[in-house]
Each structure stands twice: as structure tokens, then as C-alpha cells.
């Protein structure tokens, strides 16, 4: 079976900084792939290259059998690759429902307003924001805004969802809730590619992990294998407890 | 006393046309952070557009608004691709200068064709007499048309897919792109609509007063005052603020020479900029 997403030899340089260097990996249908690595490892840059925010200097990205290298983000969404942002970007002047409706309108299916609204209501129900539908997006809490990001991306009916630190800044209860949402997304047949710093969560959620360090792929595999990989442990040495944290989940 | 009242009602009617013009400026400013200095020249083109159409088809001049709007949309796309697309995202000075250049081109071409002598559209609707005063038919029709176009824009922005896309891009261009919206298409569309609004307001003015190719400048200035009154990027607010400005003009005209009006308007402009930088309709929210 051909993978849903196939990244081959992708590099991205900013001036003197090689942010992503010759990274290759693939992601299958209904798979949750985690992307971890120390701060500044190039995780978000890799996301930005995959969904076309940045142009790759080298390498190719194939999605659902199509070459999407350097296609702009708005076109990639129509093919079924949606994304949330690390720093939440709600459309401030719109209601929560309107935000998600816009996501559905311009997603994979180009829905008209009425069906888009229906999809939006379903998605809000799924992420537990139904009660806030008529609130202004700017008045949501951080946890609410993170869920809104997910809802907006989900409303596009993606085949693959890129989640950039959806757990950051959440309290333990909210994290548990969000993990439930991510599992539910995968169970509905959508693949997930996620960046996360909350280790316990990413270890338990991911089917496989890719580890980046200084822009290079350090390791790839089952979370338990990756956690034992001496190179990975070394990469995290800036944070001496990380090896212990990784092992806690064995 | 009835003189002031009549003058104020007249001001209110003309004010809605100011508001329509300002909606165009405000929409472009709000969506793409471009201060469109072709605004006045396009208003003047709207006047001459109406003049040419009325000379060719002497029907009810207000029906000719539809072809003026259509031509305005096309002109807007043209100006967008010539002068605006390339400077989007650069400093506001770039777009200020590039739209100013187009403004000078339009004025230059217009002067070559029509010189700077006055023209007028010879069309008169019958007025409505209430008591001792007769309201000018053209003023009533122009105000009605301005309000209808303004409300149509509002419905478009809030109740249609392209309208929501425009609001999404105005709100956060990056987020809109992540949601699958092509911001280039949306910016071009918003610019075209802004230009069409300016052209239609010019067409309405041409049914009220004589005009020259230079007449747009005064309306451009009023559009700035109205836009600042309403706060940036609030098209319907611009319509209301336009009506308020017209009312103000109507209220002071019986007492002072017309030449004082710009002084009052721009005095107001400065006061609003200093005291209400987000416009008089800004909500108290952060």
C-alpha cells in the first residue's frame, strides 16, 4: 500500500541556518505519527514545508499519490491536508461557529454555506465546543482556542491533520480531553501527524515517532524503541530528566 | 426653523452618498491595509461613466448604476493587477505611492479627453412635496440607491461564501490561507468591490451636481473623514458615519459660508483621530 504522506530528502535553509536537512519519512492511513525533538530542532519548519507555507530547497513531498511539493497551503487544504497552528489564530471578529463554517466552506469539499454550517455544528460537538458556538472567537480561553483550531481544521474534512502543539499550555484535565479528541479523530479514519512537547501524551498517542535534532532525522520507529535509542537520549541531554520521562511510559 | 430642518434632511441624503464612497475606501483599507489613493479619480470616472452611459441610453439614470458597478468591478481588477498586487505586504508607503501614480494617470487621461470643464447629467426625477418644502427627487433617489448598495454589501460580506472569505482574510490572512482560502483571489475581489463602490458613488453624485474630472478629490477627502469617524474596516459604519457627516454639513450650511465646511470637517477629523483612534463606533472591548 502506498503511504498517505511521503516526504523524501526535504531540506530547508534560512540564511546560514540549515533548519531542516535531508529529512525523509512516510505516514500511512489511519496512523498517528509523532514528531518530537528539542526546541529549535526544526519541527515547525518541517510542518511549514509539508503544507507549503515555506518552499522546500530540496526534496519532494507526496500526498495521497500527488506531488504537493511547494503547493501553497490553501491548495493543499483542498487535497485533504489540514493543519492547526502552534500559536492559535482564530478569526477574532467572527463567532466560533462562523470560524468553523469558513473552515468547512473552503476545505476539501468546497461546501456551500448551509451544509458548511451543518458540518461545523457536528465538528464543534466532536471537540466539545458546541455550547460556545455563538461566542465570539476572541473571548474563548486558551483551551477553547486550541479546540477551535482543531475544529476548524477538521471541518475541512481532511485525510491528514497536522497538529502543531495542540496540548501546549493546557492543564492536565484539558490535556486528557484533547488526547481523547485526537484518538477520536484517528478512529474516524483521519491520519494525524503531530508535534508535541508533552512527552507522556505523545508516547501514548503515537503509533510511530520521528525524532528531529538540529534539522536532521535522528530516529524513527515505535515510541518504545525511540525512547531507548541512545542518540535520542543524548539529543535531549539539555534536559537531563528527559530520558527518565521517556522510560516512564514503558 | 424649517429651513434648517430642510437643509439637514438634504445633508442626510447627500451624506449617504458620502457614506457609499467611504465604504469603498474602508473596505480596501480594512482588508488589505492599502490606502487607495485612486479613490477620488475613480469617483470622477464614475461621474463620467454615468455621463457617457446616459448620453447613449437616456433611460432612468439610476438604472445605469448597474453597468457602472460592473465596469467598476473590472476597473478594480485592472488597477489591482497593475498597481496593488505587487506591493501587498510591503510598507503602506509603497501602496500609497503606487495608487497615487495610478490616480495621476487617470486624472491625466481624463483631462486629455474631457478637459477640466464642468459636465452634468441632465436627468431630473420629480420631487416630493411635504408641506412648504419640496424634496429633490434626485437627492431622494441617490440616497435610496446608496443605502441599498450599502446594505447589499453588508449582506454580501456576512451571508455569502466569498463575503466570509473576504472577512477571514481581513481578520488574519495567514489563518485564512491555512483554511483553504486563496488570499490573492480574495484581495483582488475586495479591491474590485471597493473600486466599484467608489465608481457608483461618483455616478450618484453626477446626478446631483455638475462635475469635472477633478471633482473626485473633494469626495476622497470626505471619504477619509468618514472612514476615520467610522473606524477602519467597518463598511456599514462608514455608511452611517457618512450620513452623520452629511447631517453636520446640512446643519451648519444655513449659518456659514460653504468655504468653511472643509475647516469644520477636518477639524472633526483631527479630533476623532486623537480622541477616538478606533472610530466612534468602536466597542469598549480590547
Amino acid at each position: 500500500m502506498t503511504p498517505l504522506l511521503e516526504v523524501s530528502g526535504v531540506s530547508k535553509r534560512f540564511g546560514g541556518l540549515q533548519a531542516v536537512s535531508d529529512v525523509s519519512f512516510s505516514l500511512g492511513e489511519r496512523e498517528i505519527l509523532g514528531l518530537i525533538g528539542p526546541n529549535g530542532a526544526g519541527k515547525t519548519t518541517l510542518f511549514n514545508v509539508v503544507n507549503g507555507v515555506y518552499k522546500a530547497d530540496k526534496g519532494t513531498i507526496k500526498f495521497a499519490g500527488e506531488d504537493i511539493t511547494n503547493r501553497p497551503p490553501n491548495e493543499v487544504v483542498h487535497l485533504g491536508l489540514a493543519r492547526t497552528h502552534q500559536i492559535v489564530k482564530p478569526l477574532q471578529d467572527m463567532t466560533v461557529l462562523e470560524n468553523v463554517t469558513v473552515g468547512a466552506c473552503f476545505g476539501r469539499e468546497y461546501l456551500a454555506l448551509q451544509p458548511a454550517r451543518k458540518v461545523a455544528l457536528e465538528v464543534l460537538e466532536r471537540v466539545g465546543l458546541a455550547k460556545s458556538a455563538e461566542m465570539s472567537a476572541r473571548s474563548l480561553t486558551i483551551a477553547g482556542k486550541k479546540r477551535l483550531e482543531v475544529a476548524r481544521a477538521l471541518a475541512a474534512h481532511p485525510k491528514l491533520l497536522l497538529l502543531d502543539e495542540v496540548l501546549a499550555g493546557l492543564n492536565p484535565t484539558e490535556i486528557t480531553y484533547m488526547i481523547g479528541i485526537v484518538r477520536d479523530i484517528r478512529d474516524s479514519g483521519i491520519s494525524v501527524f503531530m508535534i508535541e512537547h508533552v512527552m507522556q501524551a505523545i508516547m501514548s498517542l503515537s503509533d510511530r515517532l520521528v525524532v528531529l535534532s538540529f534539522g536532521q532525522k535522528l530516529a524513527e520507529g515505535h515510541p518504545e524503541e525511540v525512547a531507548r535509542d541512545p542518540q535520542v537520549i543524548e539529543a535531549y541531554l539539555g534536559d537531563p530528566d528527559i530520558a527518565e520521562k521517556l522510560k516512564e511510559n514503558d | 426653523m424649517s429651513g434648517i430642518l430642510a437643509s439637514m434632511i438634504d445633508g442626510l441624503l447627500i451624506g449617504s452618498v458620502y457614506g457609499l464612497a467611504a465604504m469603498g475606501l474602508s473596505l480596501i483599507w480594512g482588508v488589505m491595509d492599502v490606502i487607495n489613493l485612486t479613490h477620488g479619480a475613480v469617483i470622477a470616472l464614475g461621474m463620467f461613466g454615468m455621463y457617457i452611459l446616459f448620453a447613449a441610453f437616456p433611460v432612468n439614470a439610476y438604472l445605469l448604476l448597474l453597468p457602472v458597478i460592473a465596469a467598476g468591478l473590472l476597473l478594480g481588477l485592472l488597477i489591482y493587477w497593475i498597481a496593488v498586487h505587487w506591493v501587498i505586504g510591503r510598507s503602506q508607503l509603497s501602496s500609497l505611492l503606487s495608487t497615487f501614480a495610478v490616480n495621476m494617470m487617470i486624472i491625466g487621461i481624463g483631462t486629455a479627453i474631457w478637459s477640466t470643464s464642468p459636465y452634468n447629467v441632465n436627468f431630473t426625477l420629480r420631487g416630493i412635496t411635504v408641506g412648504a418644502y419640496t424634496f429633490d427627487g434626485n437627492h431622494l433617489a441617490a440616497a435610496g440607491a446608496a443605502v441599498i448598495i450599502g446594505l447589499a454589501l453588508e449582506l454580501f460580506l456576512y451571508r455569502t461564501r466569498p463575503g466570509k472569505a473576504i472577512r477571514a482574510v481581513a481578520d488574519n490572512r495567514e489563518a485564512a490561507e491555512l483554511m483553504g482560502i486563496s488570499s490573492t483571489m480574495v484581495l483582488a475581489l475586495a479591491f474590485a468591490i471597493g473600486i466599484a463602490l467608489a465608481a457608483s458613488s461618483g455616478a450618484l453624485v453626477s446626478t446631483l451636481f455638475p462635475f469635472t474630472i477633478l471633482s473626485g478629490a473633494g469626495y476622497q477627502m470626505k471619504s477619509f473623514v468618514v472612514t476615520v469617524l467610522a473606524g477602519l474596516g467597518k463598511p456599514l459604519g462608514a455608511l452611517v458615519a457618512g450620513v452623520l457627516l452629511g447631517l453636520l454639513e446640512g446643519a451648519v450650511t444655513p449659518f456659514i459660508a460653504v468655504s468653511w465646511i472643509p475647516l469644520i470637517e477636518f477639524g472633526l477629523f483631527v479630533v476623532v483621530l486623537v480622541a477616538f483612534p478606533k472610530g466612534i463606533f468602536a466597542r469598549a472591548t480590547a
Side-chain angles (χ1 to χ4, degrees):
Chain A
M1 199 180 75
T2 55
L4 183 60
L5 178 73
E6 204 172 355
V7 173
S8 339
V10 163
S11 297
K12 177 71 194 174
R13 171 185 280 277
F14 297 107
L17 175 74
Q18 189 70 47
V20 173
S21 162
D22 196 26
V23 170
S24 302
F25 64 91
S26 63
L27 185 156
E29 307 262 357
R30 299 175 74 102
E31 185 178 24
I32 299 183
L33 181 66
L35 180 61
I36 62 170
N39 284 327
K43 302 183 294 292
T44 296
T45 304
L46 182 59
F47 263 34
N48 279 332
V49 174
V50 168
N51 87 323
V53 175
Y54 298 149
K55 283 194 183 344
D57 298 332
K58 267 187 243 159
T60 56
I61 299 147
K62 272 190 175 171
F63 176 70
E66 210 167 325
D67 188 347
I68 61 161
T69 320
N70 300 342
R71 295 271 294 269
N74 59 303
E75 287 181 20
V76 169
V77 175
H78 299 318
L79 298 173
L81 198 165
R83 161 174 189 186
T84 71
H85 224 275
Q86 183 178 3
I87 300 148
V88 291
K89 294 178 192 295
L91 303 173
Q92 307 270 11
D93 294 333
M94 294 188 181
T95 64
V96 169
L97 177 60
E98 225 183 342
N99 262 275
V100 183
T101 305
V102 172
C105 265
F106 297 94
R108 184 147 66 95
E109 285 152 342
Y110 262 124
L111 295 175
L113 274 184
Q114 279 315 312
R117 200 180 132 87
K118 223 178 126 224
V119 168
L121 285 168
E122 286 165 19
V123 170
L124 285 176
E125 190 72 47
R126 269 174 86 177
V127 302
L129 274 180
K131 280 186 190 141
S132 317
E134 295 303 332
M135 268 169 78
S136 140
R138 74 170 75 234
S139 57
L140 286 177
T141 61
I142 273 292
K145 283 179 181 161
K146 292 265 179 187
R147 284 192 220 166
L148 176 59
E149 282 280 311
V150 176
R152 236 167 34 173
L154 264 186
H157 275 172
K159 297 175 194 165
L160 170 61
L161 194 56
L162 268 52
L163 300 177
D164 194 348
E165 292 203 39
V166 284
L167 303 179
L170 302 188
N171 69 35
T173 322
E174 292 160 352
I175 287 180
T176 312
Y177 192 89
M178 189 63 99
I179 289 176
I181 293 174
V182 175
R183 286 226 167 87
D184 169 64
I185 290 171
R186 191 262 297 275
D187 292 345
S188 71
I190 299 170
S191 302
V192 175
F193 182 27
M194 62 191 298
I195 296 177
E196 203 45 76
H197 279 296
V198 180
M199 275 305 158
Q200 299 209 342
I202 193 93
M203 292 310 249
S204 70
L205 265 173
S206 306
D207 299 312
R208 283 187 310 130
L209 278 179
V210 167
V211 187
L212 277 191
S213 177
F214 294 107
Q216 289 180 316
K217 188 171 84 174
L218 207 58
E220 178 179 3
H222 190 268
E224 282 179 30
E225 296 162 28
V226 168
R228 288 196 201 93
D229 188 317
Q231 269 191 302
V232 175
I233 295 170
E234 197 189 317
Y236 273 103
L237 274 182
D239 178 2
D241 299 329
I242 201 81
E244 291 309 310
K245 280 190 198 165
L246 293 173
K247 280 176 183 158
E248 273 169 27
N249 289 282
D250 282 8
Chain B
M1 196 60 213
S2 73
I4 303 173
L5 191 66
S7 168
M8 283 180 70
I9 290 171
D10 218 38
L12 184 143
L13 298 176
I14 294 171
S16 52
V17 179
Y18 297 163
L20 184 65
M23 283 177 96
L25 192 72
S26 170
L27 181 73
I28 291 172
W29 199 336
V31 173
M32 59 192 87
D33 284 332
V34 165
I35 300 168
N36 170 30
L37 289 187
T38 69
H39 190 66
V42 170
I43 292 174
L45 281 184
M47 296 170 178
F48 280 91
M50 180 62 101
Y51 173 81
I52 292 167
L53 281 166
F54 187 71
F57 311 100
V59 290
N60 185 321
Y62 295 97
L63 289 178
L64 298 173
L65 271 178
L66 293 173
V68 168
I69 291 172
L73 288 170
L74 292 177
L75 177 69
L77 288 177
L78 187 70
I79 298 177
Y80 179 82
W81 286 111
I82 290 175
V84 179
H85 180 67
W86 320 101
V87 293
I88 290 278
R90 294 209 217 146
S91 79
Q92 287 190 340
L93 186 64
S94 303
S95 55
L96 208 63
L97 291 175
S98 74
T99 55
F100 183 68
V102 172
N103 170 71
M104 295 313 287
M105 286 156 67
I106 295 174
I107 300 275
I109 295 168
T111 308
I113 301 174
W114 296 296
S115 79
T116 52
S117 41
Y119 287 72
N120 69 312
V121 173
N122 217 338
F123 174 75
T124 314
L125 280 175
R126 225 157 36 116
I128 296 173
T129 305
V130 180
Y133 192 78
T134 302
F135 294 106
D136 185 282
N138 284 21
H139 281 56
L140 286 171
V147 170
I148 289 169
I149 295 172
L151 292 177
L153 176 73
E154 191 74 2
L155 278 180
F156 173 78
L157 287 178
Y158 282 84
R159 296 287 158 85
T160 69
R161 283 174 87 244
K164 283 189 193 274
I166 288 178
R167 284 170 55 226
V169 170
D171 201 317
N172 189 325
R173 200 177 304 163
E174 211 179 324
E177 295 224 328
L178 285 186
M179 293 162 85
I181 297 170
S182 159
S183 64
T184 304
M185 301 275 285
V186 168
L187 295 180
L189 175 66
F191 193 85
I193 293 172
I195 291 293
L197 290 169
S200 63
S201 72
L204 290 177
V205 171
S206 74
T207 65
L208 307 178
F209 311 112
F211 52 89
T212 75
I213 188 69
L214 302 176
S215 297
Y219 293 95
Q220 173 163 311
M221 288 304 160
K222 286 189 204 296
S223 297
F224 275 113
V225 176
V226 170
T227 305
V228 166
L229 270 178
L232 294 186
K234 295 193 183 67
L236 196 62
L239 188 62
V240 177
V243 171
L244 289 178
L245 189 73
L247 266 177
L248 177 76
E249 275 186 23
V252 300
T253 314
F255 304 105
I256 56 169
V258 178
S259 52
W260 284 92
I261 287 180
L263 183 73
I264 294 173
E265 286 179 353
F266 281 91
L268 185 70
F269 182 81
V270 173
V271 169
V272 170
L273 268 184
V274 172
F276 308 96
K278 288 187 168 172
I280 52 176
F281 304 125
R283 272 168 290 165
T285 52

